[in-house]
Amino acid sequence: MAYITTDNLTHIMAEMTDYCNAACPLCQRYDWNLNLSETVNKNHTTLQFVKERIGNTIIAQLDTWMCQGTYGDATMNPETVEIFLYLREVNPNIRIEMWSNGGARDAQFWQRMAELKVNVIFGIDGLEDTNHLYRRNVKWSHLIRNVKSFIDNGGKATWSFLIFKHNQHQVQEATQLSKEIGFTHFESNFSERWQDFNSAGEYRDIETITVDDYKLEKPEQPKDFIKHTGDVVLSKNTMHEETDDFLSKKIQCDSCLPRKKQIYLRANGYVSPCCFLGDVEVNEPKNIINDYKQINLNYTSLQEILNGEYFFDLYQGINGSEKRLRSCYNMCGVN
């Protein structure tokens, strides 16, 4: 099976910006000491870039354009409306998804998102008295105003609730509120970033993190516990333990499935298969990259990137070569 190419590409996960209005403590924008990364607050994906470096041919064949917000919130890009309008004009059937904390922009912006049929997943981690404890800097009144503007103008919205000890008692109440406001779906989950590797390969598994004058704590739950309560799904993600199959079995790359071929595009132009590979200058991919310009869409065409050394090494790695990345093994797993 061929890996990801310009001919089979179906999904682009696009970081429209690396700016964000919030300051979520477990976000990839911060290191373990809550210091803001030097690589963020520098780039926006521009309309001109999308037109010239991706272009009509590829946009026309896509199933999905997804703005998940690993390093930034797409609402912070000054050309978000114009880019989404361009996508719709070239490919009327494209699914546009946007993850957002919902606290930025005004009601008119969110009305426009509804008119452009953007599917929005709002990260709302609690109610008025708790959401700001994780979604720092997000004002509840602005968030609710924006959510209602989007939904009241026909927008399809999902409420995504991260569970912590301070808000776990509010899940059912939030579920009910989501129905009253008009959300299409409600989902809840646990953050996987309590367990993580840093750029030096060091691993942590923590229970609390100090933020300002308070502490964020993991919710109270048995390990590896999965519970279904109505619309609420509680789950715990765990890292794969490294065993003797690390190099012997093929990884099931979630960016290269029979009906899905995906790339992840950073706002600074770097291209990878997925967001788990993250900041390629800091995280594990730096071990197999020889020339960063060769994987940056500002300098190299998408076809050349996908046919180049980096994607070739990643493909060899998922099939068991010595260039296999722990990130791929841990996040996607082996067959």
Side-chain angles (χ1 to χ4, degrees):
M1 179 179 66
Y3 200 42
I4 305 158
T5 70
T6 51
D7 291 329
N8 66 22
L9 187 62
T10 62
H11 289 61
I12 292 181
M13 181 186 290
E15 288 282 348
M16 299 273 285
T17 180
D18 54 31
Y19 287 80
C20 188
N21 58 302
C24 306
L26 293 176
C27 179
Q28 297 281 17
R29 292 168 55 84
Y30 294 90
D31 66 18
W32 289 357
N33 297 314
L34 294 186
N35 297 311
L36 190 66
S37 169
E38 295 180 357
T39 65
V40 301
N41 291 353
K42 294 183 177 180
N43 304 280
H44 296 302
T45 298
T46 67
L47 176 61
Q48 181 180 358
F49 176 91
V50 176
K51 287 182 175 181
E52 294 181 356
R53 306 306 294 173
I54 301 175
N56 290 10
T57 300
I58 289 177
I59 296 297
Q61 76 188 38
L62 293 178
D63 292 333
T64 302
W65 180 279
M66 177 170 37
C67 306
Q68 192 163 354
T70 304
Y71 292 95
D73 194 302
T75 61
M76 300 296 287
N77 185 324
E79 293 187 300
T80 292
V81 171
E82 290 77 9
I83 291 172
F84 288 172
L85 180 60
Y86 163 68
L87 298 176
R88 278 272 171 257
E89 290 175 344
V90 175
N91 184 347
N93 297 318
I94 193 171
R95 178 179 176 85
I96 304 175
E97 295 181 356
M98 181 174 71
W99 276 253
S100 176
N101 60 63
R105 298 296 197 108
D106 57 17
Q108 288 70 35
F109 171 87
W110 289 99
Q111 176 181 341
R112 197 72 180 103
M113 292 296 99
E115 293 168 350
L116 287 168
K117 301 187 185 306
V118 178
N119 294 273
V120 179
I121 299 89
F122 289 95
I124 309 174
D125 306 325
L127 300 173
E128 184 172 7
D129 62 330
T130 56
N131 182 61
H132 64 282
L133 295 177
Y134 184 69
R135 303 283 172 175
R136 294 186 297 168
N137 300 334
V138 174
K139 293 184 178 180
W140 183 260
S141 59
H142 293 180
L143 164 64
I144 295 301
R145 176 201 65 196
N146 294 341
V147 165
K148 289 184 176 180
S149 177
F150 179 73
I151 292 175
D152 290 349
N153 283 284
K156 304 298 183 184
T158 294
W159 180 326
S160 181
F161 187 117
L162 277 179
I163 302 174
F164 300 93
K165 186 175 180 179
H166 66 264
N167 67 11
Q168 65 183 78
H169 65 288
Q170 296 178 321
V171 174
Q172 293 293 354
E173 187 178 352
T175 304
Q176 181 58 39
L177 179 60
S178 74
K179 294 176 181 178
E180 294 172 1
I181 293 175
F183 279 88
T184 305
H185 299 98
F186 181 94
E187 61 186 31
S188 61
N189 213 328
F190 301 108
S191 173
E192 61 192 23
R193 291 176 182 162
W194 298 103
Q195 298 171 288
D196 205 358
F197 291 92
N198 68 8
S199 59
E202 298 168 333
Y203 177 72
R204 72 169 181 181
D205 187 349
I206 60 175
E207 301 290 327
T208 67
I209 184 171
T210 300
V211 184
D212 300 328
D213 58 349
Y214 61 94
K215 287 186 177 182
L216 285 178
E217 298 179 82
K218 273 187 175 182
E220 296 176 352
Q221 54 161 331
K223 288 186 176 180
D224 302 321
F225 180 71
I226 299 177
K227 178 181 179 183
H228 297 266
T229 309
D231 295 327
V232 184
V233 179
L234 310 183
S235 64
K236 181 176 184 293
N237 295 321
T238 58
M239 296 288 182
H240 294 280
E241 293 184 3
E242 186 172 315
T243 63
D244 58 5
D245 64 9
F246 180 66
L247 289 178
S248 64
K249 291 187 177 181
K250 181 179 178 180
I251 288 172
Q252 176 58 67
C253 176
D254 286 344
S255 292
C256 186
L257 300 172
R259 295 188 178 181
K260 175 186 175 184
K261 301 293 186 295
Q262 172 187 279
I263 60 169
Y264 168 65
L265 174 63
R266 285 286 304 275
N268 59 13
Y270 286 129
V271 178
S272 285
C274 71
C275 64
F276 290 121
L277 298 182
D279 188 340
V280 293
E281 291 185 343
V282 175
N283 294 341
E284 191 183 17
K286 68 183 180 182
N287 297 327
I288 63 171
I289 295 172
N290 296 315
D291 184 347
Y292 282 99
K293 285 188 176 181
Q294 291 302 309
I295 66 163
N296 193 305
L297 203 51
N298 287 299
Y299 305 99
T300 305
S301 73
L302 185 56
Q303 184 172 14
E304 290 174 309
I305 292 173
L306 298 182
N307 290 335
E309 184 178 31
Y310 176 49
F311 273 75
F312 177 80
D313 286 346
L314 289 171
Y315 185 57
Q316 294 299 307
I318 67 174
N319 284 288
S321 83
E322 69 279 0
K323 292 190 176 181
R324 171 163 290 184
L325 301 183
R326 292 177 186 270
S327 303
C328 300
Y329 179 80
N330 285 327
M331 301 313 302
C332 290
V334 295
N335 288 332

